[in-house]
Amino acid sequence: MKKVKALLIDPFQRKVNAIEFEPTLENFYQLIGCNCIAGFTDSSGASFTYDDEYLITGGRELAYCIMDDWDYPMGGRLIATGAPDEEGECTGLTEAQARDICQRLHWVELVPK
């Protein structure tokens, strides 16, 4: 399996890091810090992989981000890659996609109870 270019979006640190990794299930788990992932592709054509159990695992610090065209914020770390190819395999982000994501990304301020 070849390495792909991606962005690791970390709302805990409020940082976006360019990474290059082999898109294996184990690597997604390790980078995101979870045991169950899900994904979606947004209007830019980029795919986002995230912790599918973030809201139900409890006991962790809450951290969220949102993009300009998303309907709701996402919790925890996300990995942004290019859209899947015709065989469903992960592809790398283009530089234009990475710039677009960074421009549309916002950190969510949590309101204390």
Side-chain angles (χ1 to χ4, degrees):
M1 182 171 285
K2 65 179 181 171
K3 290 186 175 188
V4 298
K5 292 182 180 182
L7 292 178
L8 176 60
I9 301 169
D10 187 344
F12 300 104
Q13 300 293 318
R14 293 188 175 212
K15 290 184 179 179
V16 177
N17 292 311
I19 61 171
E20 198 168 322
F21 77 112
E22 285 187 33
T24 64
L25 187 58
E26 294 80 19
N27 287 341
F28 276 107
Y29 287 164
Q30 181 183 19
L31 288 165
I32 295 171
C34 68
N35 295 312
C36 184
I37 59 173
F40 65 94
T41 301
D42 79 356
S43 63
S44 73
S47 290
F48 295 85
T49 304
Y50 61 95
D51 179 354
D52 193 35
E53 296 180 334
Y54 184 77
L55 294 176
I56 61 173
T57 54
R60 294 192 288 177
E61 174 188 1
L62 297 177
Y64 297 87
C65 64
I66 192 165
M67 300 278 258
D68 287 339
D69 61 344
W70 291 358
D71 292 333
Y72 53 88
M74 297 298 298
R77 291 179 191 89
L78 297 96
I79 296 176
T81 59
D85 65 16
E86 57 278 347
E87 296 175 2
E89 297 295 321
C90 188
T91 64
L93 275 180
T94 65
E95 287 190 32
Q97 286 173 313
R99 277 192 309 274
D100 176 63
I101 290 167
C102 290
Q103 290 172 349
R104 294 186 301 124
L105 180 70
H106 305 282
W107 307 118
V108 175
E109 295 290 333
L110 295 179
V111 177
K113 291 181 180 181

